[in-house]
Amino acid sequence: MSPRLQLSGITKRYANVVANNAIDLTVLPGEIHAVLGENGAGKSTLMKIIYGAVKPDAGTIAWEGVPVTIANPARARRLGIGMVFQHFSLFETLTVADNIVLALENERTSVELSDRIRDVSNRYGLPLDPDRHVHTMSVGERQRVEIVRCLLQEPRLLIMDEPTSVLTPQAVDKLFATLRRLATEGCSVLYISHKLNEIRALCHKATVLRGGRVTGDCDPRHESSSSLARMMIGGELPQTQHRAAHAGADVLVVRKLTLAADDLFGTSLSDIDLSVRAGEIVGIAGVSGNGQRELMTALSGERRQDEADTVTLLGTAAGRMGAAQRRALGLAFVPEERLGRGAVPEMSLAENALLTAYRKGMVAHQFVRAGVVRDYAARTLRTYGVNAAGPDATARSLSGGNLQKFIIGRELGQHPRLLIVAQPTWGVDVGSAAQIRQALLDLRDRGGAVLVVSEELDELFEICDRLAVIAQGRLSDAKPVAETNAEEIGLLMSGVFIHRDGEGRYLRPDSSR
Amino acid sequence: MMDHAITLLLLTLAAGTPLVFAALGELVTEKSGVLNLGVEGMMLVGAVVAFIVATTSQSPWLGVAAGMAGGAALSLVFAIVTLSLHANQVASGLALSLFGIGLSAFIGLDYVSVIIEPIRPLTVHGLPDIPVVGVLLFGHNPLVYLSLALFAAIQWFLSRTRAGLVLRAVGESPQSAHAIGISVVRIRYLAVLFGGACAGLGGAYLSLVYSPSWAEGMTSGRGWIALALVVFANWKPWRVLAGAYLFGGVTLAQFQAQGMGVELPSQYLAMLPYIATIVVLAIISRNAAVIKQNAPASLGRPFHPEG
């Protein structure tokens, strides 16, 4: 039997990096094949080459034993290659059926297609309403649309690019069941991820990439997480130091925060209660799009509240204060979008440091003290091991992980009483992620209060003292990490706690049963 | 009185028609995510080319076709510059308008005081003689009927056909469209050319029907109003139509007011259609949710397939 897909010597160079260097990869029919690697290892480039979105500089591709040139995505789809993107390729203002009809070449009306959508989606346990508009759907539902859209094309190779980063643990189980079923029907799956335990649970084979090269080939079912990690990062997984918490007085108190969405595609917040004490890290878990963005703008001061006492910062009613006033009280904030909100892309690192740390002696009599600004930026680069040309490098020139280290370092250098950080390690390589987590723990140990919003459950369990869950704009009560588990958090993430008792508190499902 | 009202209605439609053509064409262009600010220039080139061809060939309909071709040719320049060479759409569109204004004045120099036989209203014998309804239904110029047919066709195309769906998808997210195998650049080329041809048609209507003559800058800003119409109409064809006739109606009203000797400088009266159209449309189009649902999200942004 000839392999479904065989890549030999695939090479792709960009201006100054070799994204893929002589990569060989063989996928058999019915095989779930993992491509494992850190961010920047070349996984995405390789997938884009297979899907025809990027042309390789060298190398050959054989499809079912026949050499092919995949010039564009349309050609890939005609061959039978489907791809579910990490950042979805859906059209928000259109309905599910319209989105799917667009991808199918021989379909004219979405009406007759609706039945097929219902049929296929139910068969694979991915229920969908064809008439809903995509912008009303959760991220998990959108992924379902992408998958069903691929399945309707009856693909023989399905590429999944980091599919679980947006799913609850329960949804991940469902997805895996779907993929296993597809594989038994003869469809091959290329599964892109950096999550070792998922790959060990799901995949028949793994190809490991590091720095654009294949560094290993294995059966992940017979490997341990640390042996896979060695192949992936060329060393041991870094561990963080977690000391016992000594929580002090309340630093941030949120009472009955209700906020209408400022955007048609946004989420309204309702009745959010939350407190963070000195010397503790509180985590907020949840699938993105459940109100995290709105909560962050409400806490940072980008959107002010009507009542001053909705948000209390270090004993001061701060609800009506803007971002600058709240920062003056001792708040530091690291938003989810690094370029654009966390840093100005075109400005130098020094100028970006000035933007939030100007209170650190950088301004005298309305004049900027350039030396102080540069020193602060240079010190941040040194302390946090940021890989950058220097304080004059533009923020845009840094990789995601390095920029995040710089932004967090810039905020920590202001010795905040409260640090609010959204998605601290999103798109950051394993080594830098461990460093960032350690920095957050260190701030906590020095008596700082930290609020972390993240989609990575493993990360939250690693660093947090208490955990709350946001779902559909509501926040569950924060619970000590030791008293909960991933399964319970996963249930809460899917919004199962919308019941309240007599005192207006949310009731949570009992995890012991 | 009744006759007077009917005449006004006829004239309103006549005055709004160039805007209907130009704005509907621009709507299709923008729905694909391309902002072509060159409408004024394309209308003028369409007007002058149509006029020249009609006078030399003695065939007004050949003139109409030539006007469309002229507008499309100018838009092709824009398409090459912005879609193939990835130039900034706003700057290129403004340049296109200025270029079209100058070019039309230049090639029209010898035709400024030439008289032409306008395209006549359809005269199906007897039909317009039916009281009231007759003139309203059958008394229009053929190009007015064409504009209404164009409106119906675009409405149907955008909401009912697969090609229309593809066009909207490209305008909303070219990256997603490319990822599922839609040829974004080809569709945008077609949309820009269609917009150019429609603007040229609007110009041809001005120089062959509305005021059968050629004068430098004879569109007097209608291209810019067409652009504003599309935005304030939230990219909905029927609102474009309504806005165009509002403009036509107020144009007429201010002519009447001038004729009756209203104590206002004529310059102020001449401003009225522009101000009224923009104010009314701005007021009825403030709903952010409606805008988000209808506005092409990628409007004005260049698209590179790789990257």
Side-chain angles (χ1 to χ4, degrees), chain B residues 28-179:
Chain B
V28 170
T29 302
E30 290 192 12
K31 270 289 182 188
S32 81
V34 182
L35 180 65
N36 185 354
L37 295 180
V39 181
E40 179 85 355
M42 298 187 299
M43 282 183 87
L44 278 169
V45 168
V48 75
V49 170
F51 190 78
I52 292 172
V53 170
T55 43
T56 46
S57 72
Q58 295 297 316
S59 159
W61 288 105
L62 206 59
V64 169
M68 290 174 71
L74 204 60
S75 71
L76 181 64
V77 176
F78 175 82
I80 292 170
V81 168
T82 57
L83 301 179
S84 297
L85 305 177
H86 306 297
N88 180 294
Q89 292 178 11
V90 172
S92 309
L94 288 173
L96 192 76
S97 263
L98 296 175
F99 174 65
I101 293 168
L103 180 72
S104 61
F106 176 67
I107 58 181
L109 270 181
D110 295 338
Y111 295 85
V112 169
S113 47
V114 175
I115 311 282
I116 193 178
E117 182 67 12
I119 299 177
R120 291 279 169 213
L122 292 176
T123 45
V124 181
H125 194 73
L127 281 182
D129 300 334
I130 304 168
V132 187
V133 191
V135 178
L136 269 185
L137 285 185
F138 304 106
H140 300 287
N141 193 279
L143 287 183
V144 174
Y145 294 109
L146 183 64
S147 72
L148 292 170
L150 184 74
F151 158 76
I154 287 175
Q155 180 79 354
W156 173 77
F157 171 79
L158 286 177
S159 60
R160 289 275 177 271
T161 68
R162 179 184 167 84
L165 182 63
V166 168
L167 181 84
R168 285 188 284 143
V170 165
E172 175 168 332
S173 173
Q175 277 75 21
S176 299
H178 177 69

Side-chain angles (χ1 to χ4, degrees), chain A residues 51 77 92-93 101 104 135, chain B residues 162 165 169 172 176 179-180 293:
Chain A
Y51 194 61
R77 283 153 16 98
E92 294 210 334
T93 58
V101 92
L104 303 177
H135 67 78
Chain B
R162 179 184 167 84
L165 182 63
E172 175 168 332
S176 299
I180 57 172
Q293 180 68 38

Side-chain angles (χ1 to χ4, degrees), chain B residues 175-187:
Chain B
Q175 277 75 21
S176 299
H178 177 69
I180 57 172
I182 295 172
S183 173
V184 172
V185 173
R186 190 171 64 94
I187 284 158

Side-chain angles (χ1 to χ4, degrees), chain A residues 187-263:
Chain A
C187 179
S188 304
V189 178
L190 259 176
Y191 189 87
I192 321 303
S193 181
H194 60 258
K195 294 185 182 169
L196 307 171
N197 49 357
E198 285 183 358
I199 285 175
R200 288 173 57 215
L202 177 72
C203 301
H204 308 130
K205 194 154 184 244
T207 297
V208 187
L209 298 186
R210 173 158 33 105
R213 290 173 179 278
V214 175
T215 55
D217 239 330
C218 61
D219 183 339
R221 291 167 295 188
H222 301 139
E223 298 285 333
S224 67
S225 286
S226 54
S227 66
L228 285 173
R230 264 196 299 281
M231 277 189 262
M232 184 167 92
I233 61 176
E236 295 297 327
L237 274 177
Q239 298 294 322
T240 46
Q241 302 289 320
H242 202 194
R243 295 184 198 87
H246 301 285
D250 281 336
V251 173
L252 170 71
V253 179
V254 179
R255 283 279 165 266
K256 301 226 169 303
L257 170 64
T258 296
L259 190 69
D262 57 350
D263 182 329

